[in-house]
Amino acid sequence: MAPIIPLAMMPEGKDSKIISINAGKCLISRLRSMGFIENTLLKVKKGVNGSLIVSINGCDYALGMGMATKIMVQEYSA
């Protein structure tokens, strides 16, 4: 079983599954409204200048590293 790590540490091009979000109520609510929900699959597309571009449910989002460190993921292989 793959280890659980912060999204900020996930290498580019890897598929992962959201395990948990370790943040305050406001940030959790904001991320959930964007589709960042436990057990949802996402893919890290690119890391650019201190931020990540991730694809989730067919949409691309740019996340700052601070936000990405609060999202705990596990590498996913189908």
Side-chain angles (χ1 to χ4, degrees), residues 2 28-29 36 52 65 78:
I28 289 173
S29 176
F36 289 82
L52 289 178
M65 285 300 181

Side-chain angles (χ1 to χ4, degrees), residues 3 17 34 40 43 47-48 52 61 63 71 75-76:
K17 178 173 75 169
M34 294 169 23
T40 302
K43 183 173 194 161
V48 179
L52 289 178
Y61 295 100
L63 300 175
I71 303 170
E75 189 173 336
Y76 179 80

Side-chain angles (χ1 to χ4, degrees), residues 28-73:
I28 289 173
S29 176
R30 180 175 178 196
L31 288 169
R32 286 189 177 157
S33 71
M34 294 169 23
F36 289 82
I37 301 168
E38 288 81 1
N39 296 315
T40 302
L41 301 179
L42 61 83
K43 183 173 194 161
V44 176
K45 295 181 97 177
K46 190 185 287 190
V48 179
N49 297 332
S51 62
L52 289 178
I53 298 175
V54 299
S55 179
I56 187 166
N57 297 327
C59 296
D60 291 347
Y61 295 100
L63 300 175
M65 285 300 181
M67 196 178 292
T69 59
K70 297 178 186 313
I71 303 170
M72 303 305 290
V73 298

Side-chain angles (χ1 to χ4, degrees), residues 5 7-15 44 75:
I5 61 172
L7 178 58
M9 294 177 61
M10 185 61 64
E12 289 181 20
K14 295 285 186 175
D15 290 321
V44 176
E75 189 173 336

